[in-house]
Amino acid sequence: MSEQAEIEHAPKTANLLGEISPGPVPEPGYRDRGGKFTFVRKPAPEDLAAIHALTLREIGESVASKEVMHSVYNHNEEAIWAVFRAEDDSRRDPQLVGYIAYLLLNERGHAALKCDRLDAAAPDLALLARRGERPAALYTWAIIARGMGDLASALVAYAMGLDLHDSVPIYGRVGSVGGLKTIQRKQRSPNSDQAQMGSLFEVKISPAERAALGALKIVPGPKSRTPRPPKHTYRPLVARTSDEVARVFAVRAAVFMAEQKCPYDEEFDGNDQTATHILGCIDGEPAAALRLRYFGGFVKMERLAVLQRFRHSLIAKEIVEYAIALVRQKGFTVIYGNSQLHLLRFWSRFGFNPIAKNTKVVFSDHEYVEVIAEYPPLPDSFTPFSDPMVLIRPEGLWDVPGPLDRSATRPATNPH
């Protein structure tokens, strides 16, 4: 680290040398010799607009759109960290001076990056780790922190957890002449001497930099006046067993029949045996359900239901994103549905828009709007030429060897 300043005492010195692996530090900060205080935190919605405006000024028009930035942040708020400067450690009247943004890649996203199939301008959310999911790799989406890049990176590392930054690979692309010179000077990649504009590199922190970072004493942020609610475990899954399907039906009966007074034969309409059902659980408890039906060239998404006591949770978002990723993996690019008027804003977050034909749709005592979402094809979606053993695995568990994979270890006993 280049800063040689007094740094306020923290309860324990953390480092990146493996001796201590503390958890994340809330809104960590750093006080320099002049008393100025720099800290990082997850941006508020109004900060995102300022961050995007800053990006346009510093980098130019060839960046991800504001809508894309919002969608990545809404998918996982750990992706973007705003850097603020205040007069002192009271943190009053802070000024936004920069930010660091990562694409937190899951295993598929990590593989796509290494195969040069990650579109950083419009990243596919199916390639990004969900909130609470440990990423397989970090891709440096953008850094704007003039004169304080090392400090901002250190603060973000503390905020996200040093064990994460020290155990997953971190990548970036050369985006400026200054960045190229920094990479070559610091040997930030095994092939730093061959780096050129646009090339992908893996960040390698030198022992000296690790030692300097380890000497930092970081100031945690002020404790929240109200305790944070406990984190919950969200798990959307394909309902495969009779018990899981029964849980789906129980959620739908509670929401549509009990709350909305829908008759039984209208709710259970004869389509359930030909559909894929998605069950959403919170801490193992059934909380939400959704149904998918397949047509030539498109999928119909319907019967989204969330139990009343879980409607302030993230389970609706989780289950819809899971369903979208599932059908896109199967090769579908168009999803159709019917939305109640007051839910149009919710569906718009996933790319759904009203269909121009404006057909009036009324059933089961509600008026609906036809909506549609179109997505680009996934490069690894299934085709008849995909691995045949993958295509016979249980629905949604294509990355996990199934019972027929295990049977393939036995020799054939009835050859023709």
Side-chain angles (χ1 to χ4, degrees), residues 24-60:
V25 176
E27 297 187 7
Y30 174 96
R31 186 181 65 192
D32 63 24
R33 281 181 174 174
K36 298 284 187 179
F37 197 75
T38 304
F39 67 100
V40 299
R41 72 179 182 208
K42 296 171 187 175
E46 58 270 21
D47 295 329
L48 289 177
I51 283 172
H52 195 262
L54 178 64
T55 309
L56 293 175
R57 290 197 304 271
E58 294 287 334
I59 300 178

Side-chain angles (χ1 to χ4, degrees), residues 78 113 122 138 187 203 215-216 226 234 261 307 323 337 342 399:
E78 298 277 324
L113 175 68
L138 303 181
Q187 294 291 304
V203 175
L216 277 177
T226 57
Y234 297 95
K261 311 303 181 186
L307 292 179
H342 70 282
D399 294 333

Side-chain angles (χ1 to χ4, degrees), residues 16-219:
L16 289 178
L17 301 177
E19 298 172 8
I20 304 172
S21 296
V25 176
E27 297 187 7
Y30 174 96
R31 186 181 65 192
D32 63 24
R33 281 181 174 174
K36 298 284 187 179
F37 197 75
T38 304
F39 67 100
V40 299
R41 72 179 182 208
K42 296 171 187 175
E46 58 270 21
D47 295 329
L48 289 177
I51 283 172
H52 195 262
L54 178 64
T55 309
L56 293 175
R57 290 197 304 271
E58 294 287 334
I59 300 178
E61 297 291 335
S62 59
V63 296
S65 67
K66 187 190 302 182
E67 292 72 25
V68 168
M69 177 179 283
H70 276 267
S71 68
V72 169
Y73 184 75
N74 289 335
H75 183 76
N76 191 334
E77 61 186 16
E78 298 277 324
I80 303 176
W81 294 88
V83 182
F84 292 93
R85 201 85 187 271
E87 288 299 318
D88 54 44
D89 54 14
S90 68
R91 306 178 188 228
R92 287 193 297 268
D93 301 321
Q95 300 296 312
L96 177 71
V97 294
Y99 75 96
I100 294 180
Y102 291 113
L103 296 180
L104 288 78
L105 305 176
N106 56 27
E107 292 289 354
R108 287 180 55 204
H110 191 192
L113 175 68
K114 291 191 289 186
C115 296
D116 199 24
R117 293 187 303 182
L118 178 70
D119 182 0
D124 183 352
L125 298 182
L127 302 179
L128 306 183
R130 297 171 180 272
R131 184 183 285 104
E133 176 185 356
R134 187 177 180 84
L138 303 181
Y139 175 77
T140 307
W141 205 20
I143 295 180
I144 295 179
R146 287 186 177 275
M148 57 177 68
D150 287 344
L151 175 60
S153 296
L155 292 173
V156 171
Y158 274 86
M160 297 179 72
L162 295 182
D163 62 326
L164 174 66
H165 273 249
D166 203 32
S167 60
V168 303
I170 303 176
Y171 299 92
R173 286 195 185 276
V174 182
S176 66
V177 174
L180 177 60
K181 291 179 179 178
T182 299
I183 292 163
Q184 292 172 337
R185 183 179 73 253
K186 293 190 173 184
Q187 294 291 304
R188 283 290 178 100
S189 168
N191 299 312
S192 295
D193 56 337
Q194 302 174 17
Q196 53 186 314
M197 293 293 290
S199 62
L200 182 71
F201 66 94
E202 182 177 350
V203 175
K204 298 293 185 182
I205 301 177
S206 70
E209 288 177 303
R210 284 176 181 268
L213 181 56
L216 277 177
K217 295 178 181 178
I218 299 298
V219 183

